C-alpha cells in the first residue's frame, strides 16, 4: 500500500505539473521527502473519495462508516502507531500533513479520525498506559482497524480543558471499578469498541481514567445535531454501572501526577491542520469558480476583476502565513524534544492563527462566489459551517491570548 501511494503521488505530480505550476506555484514546499510524499498522496486519494460522500452525510447528519472502512484498508488508522507494533510511527509533522490534506475532502471525517491518531501519538509519547495494555491496543488498531478516543466532556463541566471535575463517577468493587455517568462530544461514538473515560473517584478528590469496552451498560444516545461538523458522530455516551477490571485502569487512586510530565501537547496540532485543510479546499473552489465564471455583463471571467483579485490576495496572505506557522511549529516540536514544554504557547498560537485564518479564508471564498455560495448544491456553505467549529476546539482563543500575555509579562520581569 505504501508503494502504491508513492506511485500515485509521482504520477499525479508528473501529469499535473504544468497545472500546479500555473495555478498553485511549485509542488507543496511542505512535502520534504519520499515518505511525506506517500503520506500526502494517500490522504489526497482518501480525501477525494470522501468529498463525494460528504454532502449526503452532512445533510443527514449520518456517520461515514464507509470512510472509516477506507481509512482502515489504506492503513491510515495506524499512522501514529509505533513501528514496533506494526504501525507507521508518524511524527507530529507527518500527522499534520496527512490531516490537512484529508480535510480538504471532508472536514468531519478528518476531525474525527484526528482524535484517534492524536490519542495514539499521545500515548506513544507519554507512556501513560501500562505497556501490555498499549501494545494490545496498537495491535487491535493494526489488525482490526479499532479506533480510540478519550471521552472527557460532560454537560455540567463543558470543555475538560477548563478543568471542571467530571460528574461521571467511579466506584471501587471487587476486582475493579463500576463507572456511571454521561459523556458529551463523544466523537467516533458509533464505532468505538473501546475508549477512555475520565471519572471522579468516589470518596476521593481524585479524577481517574479508565479503559471502557463497549458492551453491557454502554449506550450511545444520538444527540449530535449541530450546524457544522455534522458527521463526526459526536453523540452522548451513557454509562450505567459499567465494570472495568483493575488491569484496565489508566489512572486510579494510587496515581500521582508527575512533577514534570512528558509534554504531549503537540498532538493537538491535528485540530488546526483539519481547519487549514477545509480552508484550502474553499480557496481552491473559489479560485476555480472565479477563473470560469463569466456573467453576460462581462467579457472576461470574474477572476480578472480587481475586487475579486483583492479577495484572492487576502486569501493567499492568510493561507501562506497560517500554513507556514503551522508546519514550522510542528517541525520544531519534532526536532526540539528537550524544549517541548516551553513550546506550549507556540502550539496554542498555531491553533489560534490557523483557525481564525481559516474562518477568514472561507469568508473570502464565499464573497468571491457570491449568492451561489449559499446553495447546498455547492460545497462552500458546508465548509463555511464546518470551519467555524475550530473556534470551539481546544485551546480556546482566550486561553491562548492569556498565556501569551503572561509569558510576555514574565519575560519583562526577568
Amino acid at each position: 500500500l505504501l508503494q502504491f501511494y508513492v506511485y500515485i503521488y509521482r504520477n499525479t505530480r508528473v501529469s499535473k505539473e504544468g497545472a500546479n505550476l500555473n495555478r498553485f506555484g511549485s509542488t507543496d514546499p511542505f512535502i520534504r521527502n519520499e515518505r511525506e510524499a506517500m503520506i500526502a498522496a494517500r490522504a489526497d486519494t482518501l480525501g477525494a473519495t470522501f468529498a463525494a460522500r460528504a454532502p449526503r452525510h452532512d445533510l443527514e447528519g449520518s456517520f461515514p462508516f464507509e470512510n472509516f472502512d477506507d481509512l482502515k484498508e489504506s492503513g491510515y488508522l495506524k499512522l501514529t502507531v509505533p513501528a514496533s507494533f506494526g504501525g507507521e510511527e508518524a511524527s507530529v509533522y507527518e500527522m499534520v500533513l496527512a490531516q490537512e490534506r484529508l480535510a480538504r475532502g471532508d472536514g468531519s471525517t478528518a476531525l474525527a479520525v484526528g482524535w484517534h491518531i492524536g490519542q495514539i501519538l499521545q500515548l506513544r509519547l507519554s507512556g501513560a498506559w501500562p505497556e501490555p495494555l498499549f501494545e494490545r491496543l496498537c495491535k487491535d488498531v493494526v489488525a482490526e482497524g479499532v479506533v480510540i478516543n478519550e471521552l472527557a466532556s460532560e454537560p455540567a463541566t463543558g470543555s475538560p480543558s477548563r478543568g471542571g471535575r467530571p460528574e461521571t463517577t467511579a466506584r471501587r468493587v471487587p476486582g475493579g471499578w463500576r463507572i456511571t455517568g454521561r459523556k458529551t462530544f463523544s466523537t467516533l461514538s458509533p464505532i468505538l469498541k473501546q475508549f477512555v473515560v475520565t471519572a471522579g473517584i468516589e470518596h476521593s478528590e481524585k479524577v481517574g481514567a479508565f479503559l471502557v469496552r463497549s458492551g453491557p451498560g454502554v449506550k450511545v444516545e444520538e444527540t449530535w445535531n449541530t450546524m457544522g461538523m455534522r458527521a463526526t458522530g459526536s453523540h452522548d455516551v451513557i454509562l450505567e454501572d459499567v465494570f472495568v477490571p483493575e488491569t484496565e485502569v489508566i489512572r486510579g487512586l494510587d496515581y500521582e501526577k508527575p512533577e514534570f510530565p512528558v509534554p504531549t501537547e503537540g498532538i493537538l496540532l491535528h485540530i488546526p491542520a483539519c481547519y487549514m485543510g477545509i480552508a484550502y479546499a474553499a480557496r481552491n473552489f473559489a479560485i476555480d469558480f472565479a477563473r470560469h465564471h463569466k456573467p453576460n455583463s462581462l467579457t472576461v471571467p470574474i477572476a480578472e476583476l480587481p475586487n475579486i483579485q483583492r479577495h484572492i490576495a487576502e486569501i493567499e496572505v492568510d493561507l501562506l502565513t497560517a500554513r507556514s506557522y503551522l508546519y514550522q511549529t510542528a517541525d520544531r516540536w519534532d526536532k526540539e524534544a528537550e524544549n517541548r514544554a516551553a513550546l506550549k504557547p507556540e502550539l496554542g498560537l498555531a491553533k489560534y492563527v490557523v483557525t481564525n485564518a481559516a474562518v477568514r479564508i472561507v469568508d473570502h471564498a464565499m464573497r468571491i462566489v457570491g449568492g451561489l455560495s449559499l446553495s447546498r448544491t455547492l460545497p462552500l456553505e458546508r465548509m463555511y459551517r464546518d470551519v467555524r467549529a475550530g473556534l470551539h476546539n481546544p485551546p480556546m482563543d482566550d486561553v491562548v491570548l492569556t498565556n501569551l500575555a503572561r509569558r510576555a509579562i514574565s519575560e519583562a520581569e526577568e
Side-chain angles (χ1 to χ4, degrees), residues 152-168:
S153 296
E154 297 187 3
T157 62
S159 171
S161 64
R162 300 290 187 180
R165 178 181 170 85
E167 291 191 339
T168 298

Side-chain angles (χ1 to χ4, degrees), residues 98-110:
Q99 284 295 105
E100 188 209 342
R101 287 174 170 268
L102 195 68
R104 295 178 191 180
D106 180 15
S108 283
T109 297

Side-chain angles (χ1 to χ4, degrees), residues 135-296:
E135 179 178 357
R136 180 181 172 186
L137 168 65
C138 290
K139 290 182 176 179
D140 286 346
V141 173
V142 172
E144 301 175 22
V146 163
V147 296
I148 189 80
N149 197 5
E150 179 172 320
L151 310 187
S153 296
E154 297 187 3
T157 62
S159 171
S161 64
R162 300 290 187 180
R165 178 181 170 85
E167 291 191 339
T168 298
T169 58
R171 173 173 55 89
R172 186 185 283 280
V173 296
W177 298 79
R178 291 283 179 181
I179 314 294
T180 297
R182 175 187 286 261
K183 295 294 182 177
T184 58
F185 297 101
S186 303
T187 300
L188 296 170
S189 61
I191 57 171
L192 288 176
K193 295 181 180 178
Q194 52 186 290
F195 48 92
V196 178
V197 166
T198 55
I201 297 177
E202 194 174 56
H203 308 307
S204 166
E205 295 299 315
K206 291 192 173 183
V207 174
F210 306 84
L211 181 62
V212 176
R213 300 183 185 274
S214 59
V218 177
K219 176 186 174 183
V220 175
E221 186 174 308
E222 295 192 0
T223 54
W224 189 245
N225 185 18
T226 55
M227 179 181 79
M229 290 297 185
R230 289 174 51 76
T232 59
S234 302
H235 303 297
D236 286 9
V237 172
I238 301 170
L239 303 105
E240 298 180 352
D241 212 30
V242 177
F243 179 72
V244 175
E246 196 67 50
T247 55
E248 299 193 344
V249 175
I250 310 302
R251 298 191 303 272
L253 266 175
D254 58 349
Y255 174 78
E256 295 293 337
K257 186 176 181 179
E259 184 177 357
F260 301 105
V262 177
T264 60
E265 292 88 353
I267 67 102
L268 288 176
L269 289 180
H270 80 84
I271 296 171
C274 174
Y275 295 103
M276 192 77 266
I278 296 170
Y280 198 102
R283 172 256 200 190
N284 287 358
F285 183 89
I287 294 176
D288 266 342
F289 181 90
R291 288 177 63 241
H292 295 99
H293 183 57
K294 187 174 72 172
N296 62 14

